[in-house]
Amino acid sequence: MTFTEIIMQLMPGIGRSILIFFFTLVFSIPLGLLVSFGRMSKCRILRMGMKGYISIMRGTPLMLQLLVVYFGPYFIFGITITDSYRVYAVLIAFSINYAAYFAEIYRGGIESIEEGQYEAAKLLGYSKGQTFFKIIFPQVIKRILPSMTNEVITLVKDTSLSFAIAYGEMFTMTKAMAASQRNMLPFVAAGIFYYIFNLIVAVAMEKTEKKLSYYR
C-alpha cells in the first residue's frame, strides 16, 4: 500500500480527530470561564466546589475520565451503552477536562489585572459586566494566549486518547492499519498529520497574539 493510499484510508479518522478538537474548544473555553468565575466567587461553597472540580480533573488521567464517562452510565445507573454514545462520551470527557485547565489560566489572567483599572472603570460609570467584558477581558485574552496555545496544542495530541473507548479517530485507525499490514508507514502518516495540525494551530495563535499587541 502506498503512502497516498494510507492517507486516503485515514481520512475518516482525521475528520473525527478534527471534530474532537473543534467541539472540545467550543465547549471547554466558555465553560472554563464560568468555572474560573466560580473559583473566584465570594461564595465559599461555590469556590470550594470549583476548586475540588479543578483538582480532580487535573489530578486524574484524561484516559481514566474517558472510561468513567463512557462506562459510568451503565455501571452506576444501568443504562445501556450504544455505539453512538462513544462520540458524546469523548466530547464530554475532553470538554470537562480542558475546562478545568482553561479555568486556571483564566483565573491567572484575571487576577493579574491591576486593581486600579476596576476603580477607574467604576469612576467612569461602567457596570461590573461592562468593566469586565470591555476593559478587563480583552487584556486577559492577550496575557493568557501563550498558555492557551500550549493547552490547545496538547489537545491536538490528546485526541489520540479516544482509542481507550474504541472511538475510531485517526490514531485508533492508524494502530489498526499498522497492525494488519505490519507496516510503519501509517505511524509516519499520523506523525505528519499531528505535526502539521499543531503547526497550523501555533501559527494561528501567534497571529492572534500579534493582533492584540496594542494592549502592551
Side-chain angles (χ1 to χ4, degrees):
M1 182 176 289
T2 66
F3 189 76
T4 302
E5 289 173 333
I6 290 173
I7 292 292
M8 293 305 296
Q9 287 198 20
L10 288 177
M11 286 305 293
I14 289 174
R16 294 187 190 106
S17 293
I18 294 174
L19 179 146
I20 296 170
F21 172 81
F22 176 75
F23 281 104
T24 297
L25 290 183
V26 168
F27 297 132
S28 64
I29 288 178
L31 179 58
L33 184 59
L34 292 176
V35 173
S36 71
F37 289 154
R39 178 69 176 82
M40 296 182 291
S41 172
K42 293 180 180 180
C43 175
R44 189 173 185 275
I45 296 176
L46 180 59
R47 186 171 67 251
M48 295 306 295
M50 291 300 100
K51 186 176 181 180
Y53 160 72
I54 292 170
S55 178
I56 292 171
M57 290 298 104
R58 298 200 304 174
T60 57
L62 176 54
M63 187 181 294
L64 176 61
Q65 295 165 21
L66 274 166
L67 294 172
V68 169
V69 172
Y70 182 63
F71 292 108
Y74 175 75
F75 287 114
I76 298 173
F77 303 108
I79 299 173
T80 302
I81 298 172
T82 62
D83 285 339
S84 61
Y85 176 61
R86 292 183 198 276
V87 63
Y88 297 109
V90 168
L91 295 179
I92 292 169
F94 271 78
S95 296
I96 62 176
N97 177 275
Y98 272 85
Y101 287 91
F102 289 145
E104 286 297 271
I105 293 174
Y106 280 128
R107 185 173 69 89
I110 292 170
E111 292 182 347
S112 71
I113 303 297
E114 299 78 7
E115 189 65 28
Q117 296 201 40
Y118 292 93
E119 295 173 355
K122 187 176 181 180
L123 288 173
L124 292 171
Y126 282 88
S127 66
K128 289 185 178 180
Q130 289 174 325
T131 298
F132 182 79
F133 287 106
K134 291 186 178 181
I135 299 175
I136 305 301
F137 193 60
Q139 297 180 69
V140 168
I141 294 299
K142 164 59 183 170
R143 296 187 185 191
I144 68 175
L145 266 180
S147 298
M148 292 288 277
T149 299
N150 289 336
E151 289 301 323
V152 173
I153 287 174
T154 300
L155 171 59
V156 173
K157 294 177 285 187
D158 276 353
T159 57
S160 63
L161 294 177
S162 301
F163 82 89
I165 58 172
Y167 180 64
E169 46 70 58
M170 190 199 64
F171 188 69
T172 304
M173 294 182 66
T174 298
K175 286 177 60 182
M177 190 180 299
S180 65
Q181 297 183 10
R182 298 179 182 180
N183 192 334
M184 284 295 293
L185 274 180
F187 289 120
V188 174
I192 292 173
F193 165 75
Y194 285 124
Y195 177 75
I196 293 176
F197 197 175
N198 275 325
L199 185 62
I200 292 171
V201 169
V203 170
M205 296 295 277
E206 184 179 354
K207 287 185 177 180
T208 303
E209 191 173 350
K210 287 181 178 179
K211 287 183 179 180
L212 295 175
S213 62
Y214 54 80
Y215 282 110
R216 290 177 181 173

